[in-house]
C-alpha cells in the first residue's frame, strides 16, 4: 500500500516564533499610541518657547518665564532695524555710487559712508556745492529718524594725506596730523546738519584719524575709500532707553574715601590730588 504524501500548505512553512514576534510588535504599538493619546501639552512650557522666539524678533520680554517664582526685570534688546531708518537712502540712485557712497548695515547699526572727495574740494575744509547737494538729498530722511546719529571723520594714512609735504616724524609725543584733519571733515557735515534742522541733542561727532581704515592703505583705491565721513545710526542708542538708564538713582551710601597701606584716598577730591598718609 502506497504512503500518502502531505499537501504543502502556505502557513505551515512559517516559523513559530514569527507569530509571537508579530503579537509583541502589535502590543508595543498599541501601548505607544495609548501614551500619545493620554499626553497633555504643558501650557507653561509652550509660553516659554513662544516668549523666547518672540524676543529674538524684538517683541515682548526677553527672558519671560512663567515658571519663575519672582518676576525678574528683563532688559529687552532692540529688534531688527525698523522704519524710519536710513534704508531709503540706500535705495536712492546716485551718480557713481560705488565710489561716492557706501552703505553697510546689520541688525542694530547702519553706516552711510560718504567719500571726502565728494564733500570737499582738495585742500579745503568747507563743504563743496556737490557735497551740499548730496546732504540736501539725504536730509529729509535723516530728519525723520528718532535715534541719535554719529558723524565720524576718517582719513587715509599720513603719507597719502600730506602728499609731497610728508616728512617722517619720530616724535611720538606729537599729535598725528590726521586727527585734526578727520575732525575738520566730520565737523563740516556735523555743522551743516545742525544748520538744517537736525537737533543738536541727536547728533554727536567723533574723529578717528587714520586709525580706523575700512580698506587696506596699500592701494590708491583703498586710500581713496578710507578718506570718508560716516553717518552712523545705532538703534541701541534709543533715547527713551538711555533716559531710563540715566534716571536710575545711584546708591547714596558709597564710601567717600578708602584706605590702602596707610594712605587715605578721597573719592570726592579733584583728580590728581595727593593722598594723605595716616601713621
Amino acid at each position: 500500500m502506497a504512503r500518502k504524501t502531505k499537501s504543502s500548505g502556505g502557513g505551515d512553512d512559517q516559523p513559530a516564533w514569527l507569530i509571537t514576534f508579530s503579537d509583541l510588535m502589535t502590543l508595543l504599538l498599541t501601548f505607544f499610541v495609548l501614551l500619545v493619546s493620554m499626553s497633555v501639552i504643558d501650557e507653561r512650557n509652550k509660553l516659554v518657547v513662544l516668549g523666547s522666539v518672540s524676543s529674538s524678533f524684538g517683541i515682548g520680554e526677553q527672558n519671560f518665564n512663567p515658571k519663575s517664582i519672582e518676576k525678574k526685570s528683563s532688559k529687552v534688546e532692540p529688534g531688527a532695524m525698523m522704519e524710519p531708518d536710513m534704508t531709503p537712502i540706500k535705495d536712492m540712485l546716485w551718480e557713481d555710487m560705488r565710489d561716492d557712497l557706501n552703505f553697510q548695515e546689520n541688525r542694530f547699526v547702519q553706516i552711510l559712508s560718504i567719500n571726502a572727495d565728494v564733500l570737499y574740494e582738495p585742500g579745503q575744509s568747507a563743504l563743496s556745492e556737490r557735497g551740499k547737494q548730496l546732504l540736501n538729498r539725504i536730509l529729509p530722511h535723516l530728519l525723520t529718524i528718532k535715534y541719535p546719529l554719529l558723524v565720524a571723520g576718517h582719513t587715509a594714512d599720513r603719507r597719502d594725506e600730506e602728499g609731497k609735504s610728508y616728512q617722517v616724524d619720530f616724535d611720538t609725543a606729537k599729535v598725528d596730523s590726521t586727527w585734526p584733519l578727520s575732525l575738520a571733515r566730520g565737523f563740516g557735515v556735523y555743522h551743516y546738519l545742525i544748520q538744517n534742522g537736525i537737533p543738536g541733542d541727536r547728533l554727536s561727532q567723533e574723529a578717528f584719524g587714520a586709525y580706523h581704515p575700512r580698506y587696506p592703505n596699500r592701494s590708491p583705491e583703498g586710500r581713496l575709500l578710507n578718506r570718508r565721513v560716516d553717518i552712523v545710526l545705532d538703534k541701541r542708542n534709543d533715547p527713551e532707553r538711555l533716559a531710563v538708564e540715566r534716571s536710575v538713582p545711584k546708591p547714596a551710601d558709597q564710601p567717600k574715601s578708602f584706605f590702602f597701606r596707610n594712605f587715605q584716598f578721597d573719592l570726592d577730591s579733584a583728580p590728581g590730588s595727593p593722598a594723605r598718609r595716616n601713621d
Side-chain angles (χ1 to χ4, degrees):
M1 184 175 178
R3 182 179 298 177
K4 296 181 179 179
T5 60
K6 296 182 179 180
S7 60
S8 58
D12 296 339
D13 295 337
Q14 297 178 357
W17 61 267
L18 185 59
I19 300 176
T20 305
F21 180 77
S22 301
D23 292 340
L24 179 61
M25 292 296 102
T26 304
L27 290 175
L28 285 176
L29 178 61
T30 305
F31 174 72
F32 285 112
V33 170
L34 182 63
L35 285 180
V36 173
S37 63
M38 295 175 60
S39 64
V40 179
I41 299 177
D42 192 343
E43 294 295 332
R44 297 179 301 172
N45 289 332
K46 184 176 72 173
L47 290 176
V48 172
V49 174
L50 291 177
S52 176
V53 173
S54 63
S55 65
S56 64
F57 292 96
I59 305 174
E61 298 182 359
Q62 183 183 15
N63 57 351
F64 172 71
N65 187 358
K67 291 183 177 181
S68 60
I69 300 177
E70 59 179 358
K71 185 177 181 181
K72 299 180 181 180
S73 60
S74 60
K75 184 177 180 181
V76 180
E77 289 291 336
M81 192 72 67
M82 303 294 289
E83 295 287 351
D85 56 16
M86 293 198 298
T87 303
I89 301 176
K90 178 184 66 174
D91 299 332
M92 296 174 65
L93 297 177
W94 300 94
E95 180 185 356
D96 198 8
M97 181 177 177
R98 179 175 298 179
D99 295 333
D100 293 347
L101 298 178
N102 182 274
F103 190 90
Q104 296 182 352
E105 63 178 332
N106 59 21
R107 184 181 177 187
F108 302 126
V109 180
Q110 291 182 337
I111 303 177
L112 174 65
S113 299
I114 308 174
N115 191 278
D117 292 346
V118 178
L119 296 171
Y120 305 99
E121 297 293 344
Q124 301 294 325
S125 59
L127 285 173
S128 63
E129 291 300 323
R130 185 184 176 191
K132 292 179 181 179
Q133 292 176 4
L134 189 149
L135 293 177
N136 288 335
R137 295 189 64 183
I138 67 176
L139 261 172
H141 302 285
L142 298 181
L143 289 170
T144 61
I145 298 175
K146 67 175 182 178
Y147 300 102
L149 297 173
L150 169 66
V151 180
H154 300 269
T155 69
D157 56 14
R158 193 166 67 90
R159 180 191 298 271
D160 183 76
E161 296 290 353
E162 295 183 3
K164 296 181 179 180
S165 61
Y166 170 77
Q167 293 182 354
V168 179
D169 191 357
F170 297 100
D171 187 3
T172 57
K174 187 178 179 180
V175 178
D176 193 293
S177 62
T178 59
W179 287 106
L181 179 58
S182 63
L183 179 64
R185 287 176 178 172
F187 183 75
V189 177
Y190 174 86
H191 185 63
Y192 191 81
L193 296 180
I194 290 287
Q195 286 183 327
N196 287 271
I198 296 184
D201 57 354
R202 286 205 291 114
L203 276 181
S204 59
Q205 183 192 0
E206 291 184 3
F208 294 95
Y211 297 96
H212 281 253
R214 181 169 294 169
Y215 304 93
N217 282 314
R218 295 186 296 269
S219 64
E221 294 79 8
R223 293 192 292 269
L224 174 66
L225 296 175
N226 285 330
R227 296 194 295 267
R228 69 193 191 275
V229 175
D230 291 343
I231 300 178
V232 184
L233 187 157
D234 191 343
K235 191 179 179 183
R236 292 168 295 186
N237 295 332
D238 188 350
E240 297 180 359
R241 182 176 64 84
L242 294 177
V244 172
E245 293 180 354
R246 294 192 186 105
S247 63
V248 176
K250 297 181 180 180
D253 55 349
Q254 290 183 349
K256 302 300 181 181
S257 62
F258 69 97
F259 294 89
F260 179 75
R261 294 183 178 179
N262 294 328
F263 284 90
Q264 179 180 352
F265 295 87
D266 296 327
L267 299 181
D268 291 337
S269 60
S273 58
R276 298 193 301 271
R277 183 179 180 87
N278 297 330
D279 296 326

